[in-house]
């Protein structure tokens, strides 16, 4: 009898899974080359589009994904291990240009390089932003379909509210009236309680003016402090790959996903008859590792560009779509003049602040104790219980600067409205990724969620395999450094509440030395970085606007056959984590596409 090694069995299982799931590693394995739609990017938005279009069995869709499959990637599946995927093969491993307002530092710019995109590597936090955020989208685009009231049905189409892994009583932790229970992607409360939970909630009673309790931050009015909501399903990550490409969907004979595929350019179709609007529905691509040969495929209806805030402008620019002068300087022939491609890059800026605590019951122990970590992983594998079923955070606070803040004398308020926060406080039971050495900590991440700074994505060369030049312009607006300074001060006030008196010992790391505004600014500039929430590099604008990249229906301006659906179309960043808004945008985009092509 033939014996099989464990590794051989795993390989065979993977092959069987791939063949069943219509995931392909090589172009030659595709069963057809005739597609109605080609979706570039199997990320958060792209998988929504692929799922919704193939609900009609007569519609044939190909998804081109540069990364590998998400199947069996343990650190993507286990929620607590989420951030260990950065700086691996599952991350594009982008970095920014030297940031002048961060003391010239070059900082990491994480983006998912895996099926599911950023939804497979992010922190899984589910925040929609404020009602004002979407109403501003509607105002800027002249399309009421983007308003808060009108996107509610897309929230419900996406969201499948799910009980937390520990099945605890969730009464008083969220508002069922503002959630969907029959969607595709799971959303849940944390399935593990932390020792700090009761203290955090008690602070809302002790300091109610600054930190009022908010029953549900996803009601459209996020201000205040509430329980965190996460894209987790029974102790496992719920990504666009695990939900929208779940086995019951990916088995559709009209849905095909080609992995390890780098799209290099979009090409004008030679038989295009529209002189005013060139038809661009042909995709050039190559194997991610080989670069050659270059293969071309045309979509009979549309190409959907869902390559993300970096990938989308990168592909457009390499295709000759962008600022003609910039393109000519790189030796790229301009075919469509859209100067705003790659402009308007907007990312929030984040800072991790740590304090020593008088406790040995923090999640720091998981990071420092390999034996404990192994035991917890075994518990997760057997029972889907314990701290690994969630992340280190259970609460978030959202706040605004006082209306009489001096910064508003010189800079207009960048937030979308009075119910939109300027900054976020994210609480963690431990200094995960924080100061080295022994000890136990509490961490508060301060994030400027309505930044005024803007940046760019530009090409480094005409080689589509070259990493682009990513310049977010962090803290280049005086508003952002002012807001971050106030956020840190707010975090200090939070931990000064009476309930923390015997728990918090004092600040750790560089925060301990930030005793004046000047020293605080120095600390911020030396330690701030990206929370990985960028948007805006292919922004939508009104139908006849002379600026922007896509129309309100997300079709590329001055072009036919090409639509953009991802975070790059957001003209402004939503005041929160951007995963949920991308899902919402993609759900509406799917309906817009179906309406145009009369798809069921």
């Amino acid at each position: 009898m033939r014996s099989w090694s464990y590794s051989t069995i795993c390989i065979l299982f993977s092959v069987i899974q791939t063949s069943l799931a219509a995931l392909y590693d090589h172009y030659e394995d595709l069963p057809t080359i005739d597609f109605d739609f080609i979706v570039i990017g199997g990320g958060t938005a792209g998988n929504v589009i692929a799922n919704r279009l193939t609900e009609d069995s007569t519609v044939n869709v190909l998804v081109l994904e540069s990364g590998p499959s998400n199947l069996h990637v343990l650190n993507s599946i286990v929620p607590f291990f989420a951030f260990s995927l950065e700086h691996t093969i599952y991350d594009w491993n982008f970095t920014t240009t030297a940031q002048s307002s961060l003391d010239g530092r070059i900082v990491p710019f994480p983006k998912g390089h895996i099926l599911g995109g950023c939804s497979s590597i992010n922190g899984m936090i589910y925040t929609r932003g404020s009602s004002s955020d979407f109403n501003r989208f509607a105002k800027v685009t002249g399309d009421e379909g983007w308003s808060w009231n009108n996107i509610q049905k897309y929230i419900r189409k996406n969201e499948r509210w799910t009980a937390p892994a520990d099945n605890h009583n969730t009464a008083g932790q969220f508002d069922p009236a503002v959630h969907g229970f029959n969607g595709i992607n799971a959303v849940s409360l944390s399935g593990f309680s932390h020792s700090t939970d009761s203290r955090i909630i008690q602070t809302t009673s002790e300091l109610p003016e600054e930190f009022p309790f908010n029953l549900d931050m996803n009601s459209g009015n996020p201000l205040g402090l509430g329980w965190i909501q996460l894209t987790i399903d029974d102790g496992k990550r719920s990504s666009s790959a695990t939900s929208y490409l779940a086995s019951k969907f990916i088995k559709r004979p009209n849905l095909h996903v080609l992995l390890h595929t780098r799209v290099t350019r979009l090409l004008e179709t030679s038989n295009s008859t529209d002189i005013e609007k060139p038809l661009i529905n042909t995709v050039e691509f190559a194997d991610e590792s080989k670069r050659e040969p270059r293969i071309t495929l045309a979509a009979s209806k549309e190409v959907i560009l869902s390559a993300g805030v970096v990938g989308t402008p990168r592909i457009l620019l390499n295709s000759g779509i962008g600022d003609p002068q910039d393109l000519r300087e790189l030796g790229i022939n301009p075919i469509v003049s859209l100067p705003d491609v790659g402009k308007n890059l907007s990312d929030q800026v984040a800072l991790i602040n740590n304090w020593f605590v008088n406790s040995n019951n923090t999640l720091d122990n998981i990071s420092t104790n390999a034996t404990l970590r192994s035991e917890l992983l075994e518990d997760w594998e057997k029972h889907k219980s314990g701290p690994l079923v969630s992340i280190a955070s259970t609460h978030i606070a959202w706040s605004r600067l006082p209306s009489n803040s001096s910064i508003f004398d010189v800079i207009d308020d960048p937030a979308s409205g009075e119910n939109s926060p300027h900054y976020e406080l994210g609480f963690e039971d431990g200094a995960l990724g924080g100061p080295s050495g022994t000890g136990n900590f509490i961490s508060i991440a301060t994030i400027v969620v309505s930044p005024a700074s803007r940046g760019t994505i530009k090409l480094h060369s005409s080689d589509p395999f070259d990493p682009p030049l990513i310049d977010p312009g962090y803290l280049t607006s005086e508003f952002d450094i002012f807001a971050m300074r106030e956020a840190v001060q707010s975090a200090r006030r939070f931990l000064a509440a009476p309930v923390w008196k015997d728990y918090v010992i004092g600040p750790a790391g560089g925060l301990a030395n930030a005793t004046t505004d000047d020293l605080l600014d120095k600390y911020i500039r030396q330690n701030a970085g990206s929370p990985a929430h960028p948007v805006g590099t292919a922004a939508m604008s009104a139908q006849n606007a002379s600026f922007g990249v896509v129309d309100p229906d997300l079709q590329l301006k001055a072009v036919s056959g090409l639509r953009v659906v991802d975070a790059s179309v957001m003209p402004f960043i939503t005041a929160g984590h951007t995963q949920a808004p991308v899902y919402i945008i993609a759900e509406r985009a799917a309906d817009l596409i179906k309406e145009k092509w009369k798809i069921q």
Side-chain angles (χ1 to χ4, degrees), residues 421-444:
H422 293 124
Y423 60 87
E424 164 192 350
L425 305 185
F427 308 96
E428 291 194 348
D429 182 19
L432 305 176
S436 58
T438 59
N440 294 85
F441 304 87
I442 186 172
S443 174
I444 300 181

Side-chain angles (χ1 to χ4, degrees), residues 521-534:
D521 285 359
K522 181 179 180 181
Y523 161 72
I524 291 169
R525 296 186 192 280
Q526 289 179 345
N527 294 280
S530 173
H533 302 153

Side-chain angles (χ1 to χ4, degrees), residues 150-399:
N150 288 326
I151 56 97
Q152 291 304 305
K153 62 180 178 180
Y154 299 113
I155 290 174
R156 268 69 178 176
K157 288 187 75 171
N158 166 252
E159 183 185 22
R160 177 173 56 85
W161 185 267
T162 307
D166 60 359
N167 287 299
H168 73 267
N169 183 358
T170 59
Q173 295 184 357
F174 83 110
D175 182 359
V178 301
H179 290 279
F181 292 81
N182 300 303
I184 291 181
N185 194 42
V187 179
S188 179
L189 293 164
S190 175
F192 181 78
S193 61
H194 299 287
S195 61
T196 52
D197 288 353
S198 60
R199 295 177 189 270
I200 290 172
I201 293 299
Q202 178 64 25
T203 307
T204 67
S205 297
E206 294 179 348
L207 301 176
E209 292 297 320
E210 184 168 5
F211 303 105
F213 178 71
N214 185 332
L215 176 62
D216 201 307
M217 62 185 70
N218 282 311
S219 65
N221 295 298
L223 295 175
L225 185 153
W227 293 85
I228 202 168
Q229 299 173 17
L230 304 150
T231 49
I232 294 176
D233 188 5
D234 189 29
K236 304 182 297 295
R237 176 191 292 273
S238 181
S239 68
S240 72
T242 64
S243 59
Y244 284 89
L245 296 186
S247 58
K248 65 180 178 180
F249 301 125
I250 196 71
K251 289 179 181 178
R252 292 171 180 165
N254 56 331
L255 174 55
H256 314 274
V257 179
L258 181 59
L259 302 169
H260 314 293
T261 301
R262 177 74 68 90
V263 171
T264 51
R265 288 188 301 167
L266 303 169
L267 305 175
E268 183 176 1
T269 301
S270 58
N271 62 358
S272 176
T273 57
D274 191 337
I275 298 175
E276 295 298 321
K277 278 193 170 186
L279 175 63
I280 299 181
N281 65 348
T282 300
V283 180
E284 178 189 83
F285 58 91
D287 185 284
E288 178 84 1
S289 60
K290 297 178 182 177
R291 300 191 174 205
E292 298 290 345
R294 303 286 171 88
I295 300 163
T296 59
L297 275 180
S300 63
K301 290 182 170 63
E302 284 187 21
V303 170
I304 315 297
L305 184 52
S306 299
V309 170
V310 176
T312 284
R314 182 188 199 180
I315 291 169
L316 290 173
L317 293 169
N318 273 300
S319 306
I321 303 171
D323 187 317
Q325 181 177 343
D326 290 348
L327 295 172
R328 290 190 186 98
E329 289 176 357
L330 293 172
I332 298 173
N333 180 43
I335 61 170
V336 177
S337 176
L338 279 178
D340 286 338
V341 171
K343 310 290 174 58
N344 191 50
L345 172 60
S346 178
D347 192 13
Q348 297 160 354
V349 62
L351 180 66
I352 306 297
N353 310 279
N354 298 288
W355 286 260
F356 290 104
V357 297
N358 184 28
S359 170
N360 58 10
N361 184 27
T362 67
L363 296 178
D364 299 293
N365 302 328
I366 301 175
S367 301
T368 58
N369 188 329
T371 301
L372 174 62
R373 192 160 59 248
S374 296
E375 292 172 350
L376 292 174
L377 181 57
E378 182 178 357
D379 184 43
W380 177 88
E381 290 173 334
K382 289 181 178 180
H383 308 294
K384 296 300 181 289
S385 62
L388 303 193
V389 303
S390 192
I391 60 174
S393 297
T394 50
H395 299 83
I396 295 177
W398 309 92
S399 300

Side-chain angles (χ1 to χ4, degrees), residues 14-24:
S14 179
V15 170
I16 292 169
Q17 284 286 94
T18 300
S19 63
L20 288 175
L23 299 179
Y24 303 94

